[in-house]
Each structure stands twice: as structure tokens, then as C-alpha cells.
Amino acid sequence: MEENTVSTVETTEKTAKADKAEKKSAKKEKKPSFFKGLKKEYKKIVFADKETVAKQTVAVLIMSIFIGVVIAVLDFVMKFGLSFIL
């Protein structure tokens, strides 16, 4: 059992040393400039096509009108109800 524990500790120490060495070498590598990284990330963006934009615009307009009507109806009901109380 002690042999397993010793070998596990040695393996863990070796792994830790290897990780430290990798981190040091990674720090030494030259980092790309900010604008090169920005350009690289910008190329990954996928823009929606016209059809999708049109469908989503119509959906937003319909939902906005629907919610506006619901709020107006609730407002009217509350005003009508409060007129009896006050």
C-alpha cells in the first residue's frame, strides 16, 4: 500500500512540475496583438439573413401591439373599477 502511495505522490509531483514548465513556456510565447485577435473573432460572427430578420421583426411588432392592447384593456378595467370605489 505504501508503494502505491509513494508512486502516486511522485506522479503528482511530476505532473505539477510539467504543468509549471508548460505555464512558463506559454508565458514566453509571443501573444498576438489586440487588433489581430479582434479581427479573428469578428470573422466568427454569423449574421442573420434578410428572411430571418424580416420574420423576427414581424414577430416583435405583433407582440408589442398585443402587449400594448393587453395593458390598455387592464388600464381601462382598473379605471372603471376604481370609479365605483372612489
Side-chain angles (χ1 to χ4, degrees):
M1 179 140 185
E2 287 182 24
E3 292 177 13
N4 288 339
T5 307
V6 172
S7 65
T8 305
V9 170
E10 288 175 359
T11 306
T12 306
E13 288 175 357
K14 288 178 184 177
T15 306
K17 287 179 183 178
D19 287 343
K20 286 181 182 178
E22 287 179 15
K23 286 180 182 178
K24 285 182 181 179
S25 65
K27 286 182 181 178
K28 291 180 183 179
E29 292 178 12
K30 195 171 187 179
K31 294 182 180 179
S33 72
F34 173 77
F35 292 106
K36 286 183 181 178
L38 184 67
K39 186 177 179 180
K40 193 176 193 180
E41 290 297 320
Y42 189 75
K43 288 181 180 180
K44 294 179 184 178
I45 298 172
V46 178
F47 293 99
D49 55 13
K50 288 182 181 181
E51 184 180 332
T52 304
V53 172
K55 285 181 181 179
Q56 291 179 352
T57 302
V58 169
V60 167
L61 290 173
I62 290 172
M63 288 305 297
S64 298
I65 292 169
F66 175 74
I67 291 172
V69 168
V70 168
I71 291 171
V73 168
L74 289 173
D75 184 48
F76 178 74
V77 168
M78 284 185 215
K79 282 183 183 178
F80 185 72
L82 287 174
S83 68
F84 285 117
I85 296 172
L86 300 174

